[in-house]
């Protein structure tokens, strides 16, 4: 059997530049079936936006180790990408940029096939939350980007799809605590992606004061971050003008799904009382 941390080449969905992405690959023991081991690309949920927020630097793969173990024992090669900017500091993490995550998921399958002999070209994308978005995007991108691979399907559990309502919820002061945390990560990522993005149009009060702390993902600071998030008022993340709302909505539209036709069967599962993604946003 194989368990390895890998670094592989992928693409930025924002610039089309080549990037180096880290992740982990696991393979079963024994002889591969005819046609090779089938591959499951597992997209992880939101973990943060800093380089140390990656599953590959966590002994438990950020809690995913039991699921990886089950899949490997069932006869699958499993690849678990960290996504661009997590796991190394060569670039930033474009949080919830669906195209980048889709590219990273597809290229993790190519990396697994180079590492593990007797691997099939057949693969399935599965993901939760941010990873569900990645699996959904990969199904759209596979037609043009997935050359040499056969995507058999994708499974997206509670994926953030239409993100544009976040802009209006922020303007209306109707963000949930979970949405406030996600929007802070999105805003921090947008500043990295677009240096001329006017961050101070969207952060005020305690959010501005505790910005760096809110952007961290270390377990030691989790309680402190939760306490800060509990103190965030509606005004602290309210865009400063109607133009700022329009600008944010346009950026969120670029990240949202769907963006094109899919190539393989897709299963999307979501919750009726999800505090981050209301059912209506998915519908």
């Amino acid at each position: 059997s194989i368990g390895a941390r890998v670094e592989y080449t992928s693409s930025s969905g924002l610039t089309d530049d080549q990037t180096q992405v880290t992740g982990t690959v696991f393979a079963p023991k024994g002889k591969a079936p005819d046609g090779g081991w089938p591959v499951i690309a597992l997209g992880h949920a939101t973990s943060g936006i800093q380089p140390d927020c990656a599953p590959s630097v966590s002994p438990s793969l950020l809690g995913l180790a039991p699921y990886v173990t089950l899949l490997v024992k069932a006869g699958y090669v499993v690849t678990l990408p960290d996504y661009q900017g997590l796991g190394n500091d060569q670039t930033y993490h474009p949080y919830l940029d669906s195209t980048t995550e889709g590219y990273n998921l597809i290229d993790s399958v190519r990396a697994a096939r180079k590492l593990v002999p007797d691997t099939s070209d057949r693969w399935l994308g599965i993901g939760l939350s941010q990873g569900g978005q990645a699996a959904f995007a990969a199904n759209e991108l596979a037609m043009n980007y997935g050359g040499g691979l056969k995507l058999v399907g994708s499974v997206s559990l509670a994926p953030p799809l239409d993100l544009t309502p976040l802009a209006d919820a922020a303007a209306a002061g109707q963000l949930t605590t979970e949405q406030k945390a996600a929007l802070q990560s999105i805003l921090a990522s947008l500043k990295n992606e677009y240096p001329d993005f006017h961050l101070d149009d969207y952060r005020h009060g305690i959010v501005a004061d505790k910005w760096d702390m809110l952007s961290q993902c270390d377990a030691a600071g989790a309680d402190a971050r939760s306490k800060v998030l509990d103190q965030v008022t509606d005004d602290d993340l309210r865009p400063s003008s109607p133009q700022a709302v329009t600008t944010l909505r346009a950026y969120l539209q670029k990240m949202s799904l769907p963006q094109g036709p899919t190539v393989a069967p897709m299963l999307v599962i979501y919750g009726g009382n999800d505090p981050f993604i209301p059912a209506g946003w998915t519908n």
Side-chain angles (χ1 to χ4, degrees):
S1 63
I2 289 175
R5 187 172 192 266
V6 297
E7 186 170 298
Y8 61 93
T9 302
S10 191
S11 302
S12 163
L14 296 159
T15 65
D16 288 330
D17 291 339
Q18 287 199 332
T19 54
Q20 294 303 115
V21 178
T22 54
T24 46
V25 174
F26 303 89
K29 293 179 179 176
K31 185 177 182 297
D34 291 345
W37 300 111
V39 185
I40 289 180
L42 187 59
H44 68 85
T46 296
S47 61
I49 59 172
Q50 302 295 342
D52 61 345
C53 303
S56 72
V57 298
S58 160
S60 70
L61 302 175
L62 297 180
L64 289 172
Y67 305 101
V68 171
T69 301
L70 278 173
L71 292 169
V72 171
K73 285 183 175 176
Y76 297 97
V77 166
V78 178
T79 178
L80 176 60
D82 291 332
Y83 312 136
Q84 176 187 315
L86 306 181
N88 67 39
D89 58 4
Q90 296 176 26
T91 182
Y92 56 84
H93 175 54
Y95 178 59
L96 295 187
D97 180 66
S98 56
T99 302
T100 299
E101 292 162 6
Y103 286 161
N104 294 171
L105 203 69
I106 293 169
D107 284 321
S108 77
V109 178
R110 295 191 173 103
R113 297 191 71 220
K114 283 194 173 183
L115 182 68
V116 183
D118 303 324
T119 302
S120 170
D121 59 1
R122 292 167 56 82
W123 73 285
L124 175 74
I126 302 178
L128 169 66
S129 185
Q130 183 179 11
Q133 184 197 42
F136 193 119
N139 201 332
E140 293 186 353
L141 296 166
M143 183 181 296
N144 294 318
Y145 194 82
L149 303 172
K150 292 179 183 174
L151 178 66
V152 299
S154 64
V155 179
S156 295
L157 308 173
L161 300 178
D162 182 11
L163 293 163
T164 55
L166 275 177
D168 299 299
Q174 294 174 347
L175 295 169
T176 66
T177 301
E178 291 78 7
Q179 289 169 346
K180 289 173 182 175
L183 181 57
Q184 189 274 334
S185 294
I186 290 171
L187 293 171
S189 297
L190 286 173
K191 186 61 179 176
N192 285 327
E193 294 159 26
Y194 307 99
D196 58 351
F197 178 70
H198 295 295
L199 193 54
D200 289 333
D201 282 348
Y202 304 96
R203 60 173 186 178
H204 320 281
I206 196 170
V207 173
D209 294 342
K210 301 291 186 181
W211 187 257
D212 290 342
M213 175 211 245
L214 289 168
S215 298
Q216 301 303 314
C217 64
D218 61 297
D223 287 344
R225 281 191 300 281
S226 289
K227 287 176 181 172
V228 169
L229 279 170
D230 287 340
Q231 297 173 57
V232 173
T233 70
D234 293 339
D235 287 334
D236 293 339
L237 280 166
R238 199 189 302 271
S240 58
S241 69
Q243 179 57 50
V245 179
T246 300
T247 299
L248 179 58
R249 196 186 295 116
Y251 281 122
L252 293 170
Q253 182 63 50
K254 289 183 183 179
M255 300 154 60
S256 292
L257 293 166
Q259 293 192 12
T262 54
V263 297
M266 171 186 287
L267 174 62
V268 179
I269 301 174
Y270 58 103
N273 295 309
D274 188 323
F276 174 31
I277 308 155
W281 296 14
T282 307
N283 287 332

